[in-house]
């Protein structure tokens, strides 16, 4: 998840007019409240900003890209947007430059208008990041509690998301259609969470949270909403689908706006505790490289850390081993040989601990495969 470098708008690369679809530009202008002048059958539409935000600005946008002067007109429109004082102009340019689904978070804070606590922006960023992570993981598989599982998958998704601060809010541009699974899952999960919270507040029963897991609700998602709401009087996430990729199936033309408030916090806290408690341990057989060993007694049990190469969707696990297994792990570490071991990934500690280990043994690899895995291990060390 990347934030722009804060350079002046004119210094940032503008969208290539030749690559701008006039229909997409018109859709974005309408979405942000710009007004189109001219009849619906006209070859061109003149667009003006909403209200009196920038009375000197107007854009002439062709109805399609088949006209001889289409690129010239689009170049003029892009330039005019870059110079416009309308608050929405920057968002439109970003949506053209980074096509994707737009997710906009906003927190309403107590106190005088415009006043905000020092940590308000950081809290909003943490909540948005955690929410995107939860959506990415649930888009891959469902779980009541993920812990460290699928961290690498979610990290790859976040690397392709652009996030922009805008006053009291935050906007993320998620790649579409390639990132759609994360965003659509997030929307459906938040809708299910909203329904479950309402059910809990009315009926007094928590069972709706467990049922909502199949919609993508997880402990991580619940905690991201807690973070978003805490310290605010209200919080909202709105989603606008990519004008270029279109609306995903099953969503129609309905407006996506999800709201939570401090009154939801007791139910959210209960849900987070419940979802962690119901997630079972996972039986796995992992292959990994021993990267750390530690024991206090030269002849007793010890703890090793494996960089996981396969068998579990976590990057590292800790294992408590008896003396004989520990010695095998130490020999494998010195030789640079992967080991294979079975056990149960426990939710305690975020599924980073392998309990009840058995059958630890070095596993031979073909030389080419061994070199590939060692290269992967080296890249992982550089990233930590």
């Amino acid at each position: 998840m990347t934030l722009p470098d804060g350079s002046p708008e004119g210094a940032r690369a503008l969208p290539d007019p030749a690559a701008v679809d006039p229909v997409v530009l018109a859709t974005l202008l309408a979405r942000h409240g710009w007004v189109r002048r001219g009849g619906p059958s006209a070859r061109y539409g003149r667009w003006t900003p909403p209200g009196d935000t920038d009375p000197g600005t107007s854009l002439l946008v062709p109805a399609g890209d088949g006209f001889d002067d289409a690129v010239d007109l689009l170049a003029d429109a892009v330039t005019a947007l870059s110079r416009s004082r309308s608050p929405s102009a920057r968002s439109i340019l970003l949506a053209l430059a980074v096509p994707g689904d737009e997710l906009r978070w906003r927190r309403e804070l107590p106190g005088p208008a415009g006043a905000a606590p020092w940590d308000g922006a950081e809290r909003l960023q943490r909540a948005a990041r955690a929410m995107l992570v939860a959506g990415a993981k649930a888009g891959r598989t469902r779980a009541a509690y993920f812990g460290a599982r699928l961290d690498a998958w979610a990290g790859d998704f976040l690397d392709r998301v652009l996030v922009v601060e805008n006053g009291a809010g935050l906007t993320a541009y998620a790649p579409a259609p390639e990132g759609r699974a994360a965003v659509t899952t997030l929307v459906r999960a938040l809708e299910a969470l909203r329904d479950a919270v309402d059910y809990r507040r009315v009926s007094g029963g928590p069972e709706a949270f467990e049922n909502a897991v199949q919609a993508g609700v997880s402990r991580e998602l619940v905690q991201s909403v807690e973070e978003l709401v805490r310290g605010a009087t209200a919080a909202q996430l709105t989603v606008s689908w990519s004008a270029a990729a279109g609306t995903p199936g099953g969503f129609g033309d309905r407006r996506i706006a999800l709201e939570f408030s401090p009154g939801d916090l007791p139910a959210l806290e209960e849900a987070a505790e419940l979802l962690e408690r119901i997630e079972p341990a996972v039986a796995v057989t992992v292959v990994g490289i021993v990267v750390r060993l530690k024991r206090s007694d030269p002849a007793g049990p010890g703890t090793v850390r494996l960089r996981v190469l396969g068998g579990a969707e976590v990057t590292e696990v800790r294992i408590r081993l008896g003396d004989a297994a520990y010695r095998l792990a130490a020999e494998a570490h010195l030789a640079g040989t992967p080991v294979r071991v079975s056990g149960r990934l426990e939710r305690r500690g975020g599924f980073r601990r392998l309990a009840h280990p058995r059958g630890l043994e070095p596993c031979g690899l073909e030389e080419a495969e061994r070199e590939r895995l060692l290269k992967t291990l080296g890249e992982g060390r550089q990233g930590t």
Side-chain angles (χ1 to χ4, degrees):
M1 188 166 77
T2 56
L3 288 158
D5 58 9
S7 58
E9 190 67 45
R12 195 175 296 131
L14 295 176
D16 179 5
V20 172
D21 185 335
V23 176
V24 170
L25 175 55
T27 301
L28 292 170
L29 290 167
R31 177 181 294 171
H32 288 276
W34 288 57
V35 180
R36 185 182 189 275
R37 315 292 180 180
S41 61
R43 295 174 60 186
Y44 305 93
R46 184 168 295 279
W47 294 82
T48 56
D52 297 324
T53 55
D54 191 4
T57 296
S58 68
L59 313 179
L60 193 61
V61 180
D65 56 8
F67 304 113
D68 293 339
D69 57 351
V71 174
D72 292 335
L73 291 174
L74 290 170
D76 291 342
V78 167
T79 301
L81 282 170
S82 70
R83 296 171 178 169
S84 173
R85 295 190 301 273
S86 176
S88 61
R90 182 168 180 251
S91 297
I92 295 169
L93 283 173
L94 283 168
L96 289 172
V98 188
D101 297 324
E102 297 179 31
L103 299 90
R104 294 182 294 278
W105 291 266
R106 187 173 183 85
R107 301 173 74 234
E108 296 180 12
L109 302 174
W118 286 105
D119 66 344
E122 289 83 355
R123 181 183 292 275
L124 184 57
Q125 287 186 28
R126 287 196 303 269
R129 180 183 179 87
M131 202 173 285
L132 289 170
V133 166
K137 290 184 177 184
R140 177 76 177 270
T141 188
R142 302 295 195 258
Y145 172 45
F146 287 99
R149 294 178 295 174
L150 294 175
D151 276 355
W153 173 269
D156 289 342
F157 172 71
L158 286 182
D159 286 343
R160 294 178 285 130
V161 174
L162 174 70
V163 176
V164 181
E165 295 182 15
N166 48 334
L170 199 69
T171 301
Y173 297 86
E178 59 270 26
R180 273 278 166 83
V183 180
T184 55
T185 301
L186 176 60
V187 170
R188 291 191 174 103
L190 286 170
E191 290 174 337
L193 179 59
R194 177 70 270 170
D195 290 343
V197 168
D198 291 341
Y199 180 84
R200 177 69 180 95
R201 295 179 66 176
V202 171
S203 72
E207 59 272 13
F209 295 117
E210 187 171 352
N211 296 335
V213 171
Q214 290 307 310
V217 172
S218 64
R219 175 181 181 265
E220 287 79 3
L221 180 67
V222 171
Q223 290 187 315
S224 73
V225 176
E226 284 187 67
E227 182 79 2
L228 187 66
V229 169
R230 201 172 298 279
T233 58
Q236 182 187 69
L237 169 66
T238 59
V239 178
S240 298
W241 304 114
S242 165
T247 303
F251 285 90
D253 296 328
R254 63 189 174 92
R255 180 173 180 263
I256 307 297
L258 296 144
E259 298 181 353
F260 293 88
S261 70
D264 299 324
L265 284 172
L268 292 170
E269 291 167 357
E270 181 182 13
E273 181 181 347
L274 169 69
L275 293 173
E276 180 176 357
R277 187 171 65 247
I278 66 174
E279 183 66 24
V282 183
V284 295
T285 297
V286 300
V287 174
I289 295 284
V290 180
V291 294
R292 185 170 298 179
L293 302 104
K294 182 179 179 181
R295 66 176 175 178
S296 55
D297 187 340
T303 301
V304 303
R305 182 181 298 177
L306 292 189
R307 177 86 62 164
V308 175
L309 303 174
E313 293 177 315
V314 293
T315 55
E316 288 189 347
V317 293
R318 295 187 301 274
I319 314 174
R320 180 76 172 171
L321 297 172
D323 178 58
Y326 185 90
R327 289 177 180 275
L328 275 176
E331 291 173 3
H333 175 66
L334 292 174
T337 302
V339 297
R340 180 185 292 108
V341 60
S342 299
R344 294 181 67 80
L345 276 178
E346 293 192 340
R347 66 174 183 269
R348 186 176 62 181
F351 293 95
R352 296 180 178 89
R353 190 169 76 94
L354 193 69
H356 309 296
R358 63 187 185 279
L360 185 140
E361 60 179 0
C363 54
L365 296 172
E366 297 292 335
E367 187 63 26
E369 180 68 3
R370 183 173 181 274
E371 288 298 322
R372 186 188 69 80
L373 293 178
L374 289 175
K375 181 180 179 182
T376 301
L377 176 63
E379 291 172 350
R381 282 173 172 164
Q382 293 173 9
T384 56

